[in-house]
């Protein structure tokens, strides 16, 4: 059949045994000269020489002149010599430049008055006028003159614009102030303030503790209450919804609030406590708990003459 494709390279086999020693090769070329070797050790001392039969010495030829020796050290300075004779005077030198100006000398004495033979000359022609000088300081005001005659009456002016309306005096008034008589009021109901201090218009009901607004307008309400023996949680309500609330945990202390509200005719306002555990409202001959309010100003200054009956606001009392 045909030759197959080459297979993959196999793994490396194990190392074989050491072969026999080969035949000695041919002699190689001569190598390069080696480096100089180290100097050898000194040889042994030679034998003493022997003089010849005649030991007379003959002088040798003179040697060459040696090199000059080094410079010697500097000697000590000698003593000063005798001064020479005085020379002849030299010629006069050239004139030098002038020196700087010296300081000013003292003032001299006044000289004698000279004789004047002069006389005034003729008057010269008038000169041209000089430029205008600067403005002088303002003078002192003069006295007022006499008043003039009154002028003729002027024409009548145009009619002016109509001014803004002035403040009105409202004919609607309403105010009340009442104090507490019974202690620890019933929760989830208006607190009755049965001791009337002011209620001329009769808009506050002392039996059920509610105030009914007589007209649309801006009102002010306030309360100042005494807490005693119990926690006091109290709120100001408008038409069965709370407006402000107060908590007074301190025994025998006071709490107060003041609010400004806009009411419509027939709206009702009262004070209410939360529950029997927090109705510690107190009053006595020595301290009072009060509820007050008044109409600050109505939306209109005119007295309402409508005979329409305003239905009372209905709802459920709750905290």
């Amino acid at each position: 059949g045909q030759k197959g494709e080459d297979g993959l390279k196999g793994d490396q086999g194990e190392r074989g045994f050491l072969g026999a020693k080969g035949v000695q090769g041919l002699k190689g070329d001569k190598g390069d000269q080696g480096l100089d070797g180290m100097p050898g050790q000194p040889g042994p001392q030679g034998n003493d020489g022997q003089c010849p039969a005649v030991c007379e010495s003959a002088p040798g030829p003179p040697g060459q002149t040696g090199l000059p020796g080094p410079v010697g050290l500097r000697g000590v300075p000698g003593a000063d010599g005798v001064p020479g004779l005085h020379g002849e005077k030299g010629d006069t030198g050239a004139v030098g430049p002038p020196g700087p100006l010296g300081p000013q000398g003292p003032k001299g004495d006044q000289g004698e008055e000279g004789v004047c033979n002069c006389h005034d000359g003729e008057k010269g022609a008038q000169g041209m006028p000089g430029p205008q000088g600067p403005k002088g300081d303002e003078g002192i005001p003069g006295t007022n003159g006499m008043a003039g005659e009154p002028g003729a009456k002027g024409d009548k002016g145009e009619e002016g614009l109509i001014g803004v309306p002035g403040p009105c005096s409202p004919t609607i008034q309403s105010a009340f102030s009442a104090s507490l008589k019974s202690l620890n009021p019933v929760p989830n109901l208006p607190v009755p303030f049965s001791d009337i201090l002011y209620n001329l218009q009769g808009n506050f009901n002392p039996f059920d503790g509610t105030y009914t607004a007589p007209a649309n307008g801006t009102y002010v309400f306030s309360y100042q209450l005494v807490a005693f023996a119990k926690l006091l949680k109290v709120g100001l309500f408008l038409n069965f919804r709370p407006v402000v609330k107060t908590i007074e945990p301190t025994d025998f202390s006071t709490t107060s609030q003041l609010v400004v509200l806009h009411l419509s005719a027939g709206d009702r306002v009262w004070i209410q406590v939360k529950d029997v555990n927090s109705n510690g409202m107190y009053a006595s001959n020595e301290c009072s708990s009060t509820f007050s309010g008044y109409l600050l100003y109505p939306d209109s200054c005119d007295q309402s003459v409508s005979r329409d009956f305003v239905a009372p606001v209905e709802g459920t009392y709750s905290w």
Side-chain angles (χ1 to χ4, degrees):
Q2 296 180 356
K3 181 179 179 180
E5 296 178 356
D6 296 339
L8 300 176
K9 184 178 178 181
D11 298 332
Q12 184 177 357
E14 297 180 357
R15 186 174 181 179
F17 298 103
L18 184 64
K21 183 177 182 182
V23 181
Q24 184 175 1
L26 299 177
K27 184 177 181 181
D29 297 334
K30 182 178 179 179
D32 298 332
Q33 184 176 356
L35 302 175
D36 294 338
M38 298 295 291
Q41 298 292 332
Q45 184 177 0
N47 299 324
D48 296 335
Q50 297 179 359
C51 289
V54 181
C55 290
E56 295 179 0
S57 59
Q64 298 178 356
T65 305
L67 299 173
V71 179
L73 300 175
R74 185 174 182 179
V76 180
D80 294 339
V82 179
L85 299 176
H86 190 66
E88 297 178 359
K89 182 178 181 180
D91 298 333
T92 303
V95 180
L101 182 65
Q104 184 177 1
K107 182 178 180 181
D109 299 333
Q110 184 175 1
E112 297 179 0
E113 184 177 359
V115 179
C116 179
N117 294 324
C118 56
H119 55 83
D120 295 337
E122 296 180 0
K123 185 177 181 180
Q126 184 175 359
M128 298 294 294
Q132 183 178 356
K135 182 179 180 181
D137 298 333
E138 185 177 357
I140 301 175
T143 58
N144 295 331
M146 299 293 294
E149 294 293 334
K153 183 177 180 180
D155 298 333
K156 183 177 181 180
E158 297 180 359
E159 184 177 359
L161 300 176
I162 299 176
V164 296
C168 63
S169 298
T171 59
I172 307 173
Q173 296 180 352
S174 177
F176 78 96
S177 184
S179 63
L180 183 73
K181 276 191 173 182
S182 58
L183 311 182
N184 306 121
V186 178
N188 292 327
L189 284 176
V191 176
F193 289 82
S194 55
D195 189 3
I196 296 297
L197 304 177
Y198 179 88
N199 191 22
L200 184 61
Q201 293 79 25
N203 299 126
F204 178 73
N205 188 338
F207 302 104
D208 63 5
T210 61
Y211 172 81
T212 303
N216 301 344
T218 301
Y219 293 78
V220 179
F221 296 94
S222 66
Y223 60 79
Q224 183 164 344
L225 308 173
V226 179
F228 177 69
K230 275 187 178 184
L231 175 71
L232 176 59
K233 292 184 179 181
V234 64
L236 179 74
F237 284 73
L238 168 61
N239 296 340
F240 300 96
R241 61 178 180 86
V243 178
V244 291
K245 293 182 178 180
T246 306
I247 298 177
E248 181 54 54
T250 307
D251 192 13
F252 228 132
S253 60
T254 60
T255 183
S256 61
Q257 284 281 9
L258 185 144
V259 294
V260 179
L261 302 175
H262 183 272
L263 304 182
S264 299
D267 286 346
R268 298 169 61 207
V269 179
W270 65 85
I271 289 179
Q272 183 177 319
V273 296
K274 182 179 181 181
D275 51 36
V276 294
N277 298 319
S278 56
N279 63 341
M281 195 180 301
Y282 180 77
S284 68
N285 294 332
E286 302 296 332
C287 59
S288 301
S289 294
T290 60
F291 177 33
S292 304
Y294 60 91
L295 170 64
L296 183 63
Y297 54 84
D299 291 349
S300 173
C301 293
D302 299 330
Q303 177 72 42
S304 176
V305 295
S306 173
R307 296 181 178 274
D308 294 338
F309 175 74
V310 178
V313 179
E314 297 182 356
T316 303
Y317 295 106
S318 66
W319 181 252

